[in-house]
Amino acid sequence: MLITVPKGSLMLNALAHFERAKPQLGGDVEARAQALQQAELLGLPTRRVEAWHYTDLPRLLNRSASSSDALTVNDFSALKPHYLVFENGHLSADLAQLSAEFVSPDADLSADAMTLYNQALAENGLTLKLDKSPEAIVIVETKGSEAQHLMHRVRLSAGVKATVVDDHAALGYSNVIWQVELAADAELTLVHMQQSGQYVGHCTVDLATNAQFKQITLLTGGDVARHATDVNLQQSGAKADLHSAILGRAVSHNDVTYTINHQAADTHSHTTSHQALADSARGVFQGKVIVQRDAQRVDAQMQARAMMLSSEAEINAKPELEIYADDVVCAHGTAIGEIDADALFFLRARGIDEASARQLLISGFVEQLLTHCDDSALADVLRHHIEQKISALTLTKLEAEHAV
Amino acid sequence: MSALLEISNLQAAIGDKTILKGLDLTIQAGEVHAIMGPNGSGKSTLSYVLSGKDGYDITGGSMHFDGQDLADLQAEERAIAGLFLAFQYPLEIPGVTNMTFLKTALNAVRRGRGEDDMDAASFLRLAREKSRALGMDDDMLKRQLNVGFSGGEKKRNEILQMAMLEPKLAILDETDSGLDIDALKIVAEGVNAQRSPERGMLVITHYQRLLDFIKPDVVHVMANGRIVRSGGPELALELEKSGYADYRAEGVAHA
Ligand SMILES: Nc1ncnc2c1ncn2[C@@H]1O[C@H](COP(=O)(O)OP(=O)(O)OP(=O)(O)O)[C@@H](O)[C@H]1O
Ligand SMILES: [Mg+2]
């Protein structure tokens, strides 16, 4: 399926959108109006806001249409999942009898502009409160071409284990918030796959004692993908595994930003990022690890790697440590390189043509993400998605480069 | 009939540095040749130049393999034509499993030779059979290519690739280094299994011991970018005793 990514953002016209949507919006409409007013006062975050230093959102949302792209259909059927589909902000199908009753966002006027816009305009979202582990994984698919604001909540009671996949293939602008709360010993795996549109996502995760959060993020296309995650390791033994991969193509702007707050002793975080950037794609990695004064024996590891596939591509990587405790093990590293010429020769010396050898090395790089995915059927879906995107990449860019 | 490999007066440089300085070597089908020579004499460079690695300037001479001028062929085309290099330092490729790699390589070579892809079940059977014959764990096929493999495991894996691809000419660059004595025997058996009247081998080694297991027809001494002496298997024994002192001098004298 070949589609054209529609441009023009309703964000620039939030008031009109609000007036139109008002009749359908639930909750306290007055509070929503206040949130909107405050959001408009703050305006879209500019590069002057530290967390947005490398992602100039107003400019990116205003770019004129340039890319057309094929959507990859992710087939999760082997996983027999619960399925929810949000289309243009509406829950268009609830194929499993999964309760998804939406509760309007709480108003918090001290929030940042993007959250305020979401508070004002979110009309739907997943509400998942689980007291026991579900048998199947939950897929949240987002599609459609209109602007949408979604507010998802996941709350796992003590000891509950669940996997949620956010399959984002919406073509327009999306402002998506995830609020995750994990009680003691709860374990959530949250997979984000984003391949289209202008996507701004913000995920906040609070972890209690020994809770575990694993996030697997795969950004493979579209125009803008900003995926920010704030993790609060609030009680001892909590653990966060945050792994992301980006396959940046055309003029896509891809941003993964983490703020990991170790608030208690014996908490752990492990972050990896693999960004392969082709054409004029831009990648951003920001990772801020904060270790509070009383958070002793914290182990925080962060590793960001980038593979530059074109001289026009760009990467901004900024790992940061803010450590107030003294007994901690923290490390971060950044490695930026190109396709390794010796590795390329090794493959070619085994009869593999240059284009295929490059493709193999790129998929090997990106698929290191999958080493963190314990569910092999889920890993297969991710792998298939990556392979599809890489084959598109090779046809458009690498051959063109070769012809020069 | 033309020789399997015919190199004459080959000269090759990297940047300003000339490494191969007029090298002659002819290998007939069915023959095993060994090259010995001091560190830095250009043995690995020869193997890379033959296999088509980028970055070398061929400044003189010629290389013909099985009647084809190698200068006309890309690295992958040389592999398809039947040339194989077992690397002195095999590369680690993260994220690509050994299995995926072997299958991609085998099918690339088959396609290049006008054959169909091997079906998945036959491939699996073949890979298991060949890897077991080399004393490798099935697990090593599932692992990422050479990542975390021990030195000896990497070398066995090179021979596994050779066994899968069935080349006409295999160049083994110090395949014996890093192997324990048992592994050396197993690998040598794997190599000997490939010997046939149609195939040739070029074995680069520093040690006579390998040549006890893989009996060469001809032994060459390489020094300072040239073959400076050739003889029978007894030459290897002689070198083991007396070292390269004479050849270093000779190399310099010819430079
Ligand atoms: N990329 C390069 N740039 C500059 N010099 C090089 C390069 N590669 C090889 N050389 C030089 O060429 C010479 C031959 O190297 P080569 O690796 O072929 O030796 P060798 O005979 O295989 O040695 P060894 O027995 O130690 O494996 C050496 O002096 C080496 O330093
Ligand atoms: Mg060498």
Side-chain angles (χ1 to χ4, degrees):
Chain A
M1 174 177 43
L2 204 67
I3 51 96
T4 307
V5 180
K7 296 288 139 111
S9 165
L10 277 172
M11 281 309 294
L12 307 170
N13 207 344
L15 277 170
H17 182 63
F18 183 67
E19 288 307 322
R20 250 195 328 272
K22 222 166 166 178
Q24 288 99 271
L25 291 175
D28 182 344
V29 176
E30 190 46 40
R32 284 177 179 267
Q34 279 179 19
L36 183 64
Q37 203 179 8
Q38 179 65 13
E40 292 281 88
L41 206 65
L42 294 173
L44 290 176
T46 65
R47 300 191 52 195
R48 282 193 298 277
V49 180
E50 200 199 342
W52 291 85
H53 185 66
Y54 300 108
T55 297
D56 186 353
L57 194 62
R59 183 185 67 81
L60 290 167
L61 293 181
N62 263 318
R63 284 197 297 191
S64 58
S66 58
S67 60
S68 67
D69 211 346
L71 283 183
T72 296
V73 177
N74 298 312
D75 179 4
F76 296 98
S77 57
L79 291 143
K80 301 199 170 56
H82 295 296
Y83 230 106
L84 280 98
V85 181
F86 292 98
E87 184 162 4
N88 296 325
H90 305 287
L91 185 59
S92 73
D94 183 1
L95 304 179
Q97 292 82 37
L98 196 81
S99 145
E101 196 186 323
F102 181 66
V103 181
S104 292
D106 304 325
D108 171 11
L109 294 180
S110 67
D112 65 289
M114 298 312 291
T115 306
L116 286 163
Y117 277 120
N118 192 285
Q119 284 172 18
L121 297 165
E123 48 192 311
N124 230 321
L126 164 74
T127 303
L128 192 65
K129 291 184 187 163
L130 295 174
D131 294 325
K132 63 181 183 35
S133 302
E135 270 156 38
I137 74 167
V138 178
I139 312 278
V140 178
E141 186 183 333
T142 308
K143 57 187 198 180
S145 55
E146 291 170 23
Q148 49 192 322
H149 298 74
L150 297 171
M151 168 74 165
H152 302 303
R153 293 187 186 81
V154 179
R155 257 172 229 170
L156 302 189
S157 300
V160 171
K161 293 181 175 52
T163 297
V164 176
V165 178
D166 172 21
D167 180 12
H168 190 94
L171 305 174
Y173 168 82
S174 319
N175 174 329
V176 183
I177 288 191
W178 287 82
Q179 276 184 358
V180 176
E181 285 173 38
L182 304 181
D185 300 305
E187 288 178 26
L188 177 70
T189 298
L190 182 55
V191 178
H192 297 280
M193 302 171 79
Q194 185 278 343
Q195 59 171 322
S196 59
Q198 300 163 317
Y199 165 81
V200 182
H202 194 154
C203 189
T204 306
V205 189
D206 295 333
L207 291 91
T209 310
N210 294 332
Q212 294 189 28
F213 177 63
K214 179 178 271 193
Q215 189 189 48
I216 293 177
T217 301
L218 176 63
L219 311 180
T220 57
D223 198 29
V224 183
R226 154 81 174 195
H227 188 75
T229 304
D230 295 346
V231 177
N232 301 309
L233 299 150
Q234 295 173 333
Q235 290 173 352
S236 70
K239 187 166 182 268
D241 271 290
L242 308 165
H243 304 287
S244 63
I246 288 174
L247 184 66
R249 301 168 300 142
V251 295
S252 68
H253 181 99
N254 311 273
D255 173 337
V256 284
T257 291
Y258 300 106
T259 307
I260 303 158
N261 199 340
H262 289 266
Q263 297 167 345
D266 300 298
T267 50
H268 301 265
S269 66
H270 183 203
T271 310
T272 66
S273 170
H274 287 88
Q275 307 201 0
L277 300 166
D279 307 333
S280 302
R282 187 151 178 206
V284 176
F285 173 84
Q286 301 186 104
K288 187 179 205 167
V289 174
I290 305 160
V291 182
Q292 305 292 356
R293 197 191 319 271
D294 298 329
Q296 301 297 354
R297 298 175 303 280
V298 156
D299 186 346
Q301 308 289 330
M302 182 172 281
Q303 189 64 244
R305 293 178 181 277
M307 181 186 259
M308 310 306 286
L309 302 174
S310 135
S311 56
E312 308 294 312
E314 195 179 318
I315 173 83
N316 295 102
K318 186 180 167 202
E320 274 180 283
L321 294 175
E322 238 177 67
I323 301 175
Y324 302 103
D326 41 36
D327 181 14
V328 298
V329 182
C330 290
H332 67 71
T334 308
I336 297 167
E338 294 171 14
I339 285 189
D340 181 49
D342 289 334
L344 195 61
F345 171 62
F346 185 53
L347 298 178
R348 293 178 68 196
R350 297 296 177 255
I352 302 170
D353 66 85
E354 185 171 349
S356 306
R358 278 180 190 279
Q359 208 168 311
L360 202 56
L361 292 171
I362 298 166
S363 59
F365 178 79
V366 174
E367 285 173 16
Q368 287 173 69
L369 175 71
L370 306 182
T371 59
H372 305 287
C373 183
D374 308 318
D375 182 329
S376 65
L378 186 53
D380 285 344
V381 177
L382 289 157
R383 185 176 296 108
H384 177 76
H385 184 98
I386 293 169
E387 299 292 341
Q388 291 268 305
K389 296 299 185 190
I390 287 177
S391 58
L393 168 87
T394 309
L395 287 174
T396 54
K397 181 63 188 177
L398 294 178
E399 277 185 11
E401 218 171 43
H402 212 73
V404 172
Chain B
M1 219 189 95
S2 62
L4 186 59
L5 181 70
E6 186 147 23
I7 305 172
S8 87
N9 193 29
L10 182 64
Q11 293 156 52
I14 297 182
D16 307 337
K17 184 171 169 148
T18 301
I19 300 171
L20 302 182
K21 301 174 181 173
L23 184 138
D24 297 299
L25 176 68
T26 302
I27 300 179
Q28 302 293 343
E31 290 180 350
V32 173
H33 288 226
I35 293 188
M36 305 181 82
N39 295 130
S41 55
K43 303 180 298 295
S44 293
T45 302
L46 172 64
S47 73
Y48 289 144
V49 167
L50 284 171
S51 317
K53 189 174 182 180
D54 291 334
Y56 298 92
D57 291 321
I58 310 300
T59 50
S62 66
M63 308 174 272
H64 285 85
F65 171 65
D66 209 17
Q68 283 174 283
D69 188 345
L70 285 178
D72 297 338
L73 302 181
Q74 297 286 328
E76 55 269 33
E77 294 168 326
R78 298 182 196 197
I80 288 163
L83 198 65
F84 180 90
L85 168 62
F87 283 62
Q88 181 174 3
Y89 304 109
L91 276 289
E92 298 188 4
I93 316 266
V96 177
T97 66
N98 207 4
M99 196 73 108
T100 301
F101 163 68
L102 283 172
K103 193 167 164 184
T104 310
L106 180 66
N107 285 333
V109 165
R110 286 173 68 101
R111 260 176 250 165
R113 293 174 186 167
E115 299 163 29
D116 289 336
D117 281 11
M118 187 177 277
D119 67 84
S122 310
F123 168 78
L124 200 63
R125 216 175 309 121
L126 187 70
R128 288 231 173 94
E129 179 205 322
K130 301 274 189 198
S131 61
R132 281 182 194 153
L134 287 162
M136 293 167 68
D137 217 33
D138 282 356
D139 191 45
M140 280 175 69
L141 293 171
K142 291 187 206 128
R143 281 168 61 182
Q144 301 180 52
L145 177 54
N146 289 333
V147 176
F149 284 27
S150 73
E153 286 168 345
K154 285 180 185 168
K155 295 303 179 76
R156 279 188 217 212
N157 207 31
E158 292 293 289
I159 299 306
L160 172 63
Q161 291 155 44
M162 180 186 81
M164 297 291 291
L165 299 181
E166 305 196 306
K168 281 188 202 140
L169 178 71
I171 304 166
L172 310 183
D173 191 358
E174 296 195 28
T175 300
D176 52 337
S177 63
L179 290 179
D180 64 45
I181 295 176
D182 295 339
L184 185 68
K185 282 185 196 156
I186 293 168
V187 163
E189 272 168 32
V191 171
N192 286 329
Q194 293 280 309
R195 286 180 84 154
S196 83
E198 299 83 43
R199 292 183 182 154
M201 293 204 186
L202 182 58
V203 181
I204 298 169
T205 182
H206 286 295
Y207 304 103
Q208 150 64 27
R209 197 181 54 193
L210 177 71
L211 305 179
D212 286 339
F213 297 110
I214 305 173
K215 296 248 176 340
D217 300 296
V218 186
V219 175
H220 306 277
V221 181
M222 184 163 175
N224 198 21
R226 299 169 64 244
I227 302 289
V228 292
R229 196 175 155 196
S230 303
E234 70 287 347
L235 182 54
L237 291 165
E238 185 191 314
L239 290 169
E240 187 101 320
K241 270 190 233 116
S242 56
Y244 294 118
D246 302 347
Y247 302 103
R248 276 186 232 274
E250 184 170 346
V252 172
H254 280 80

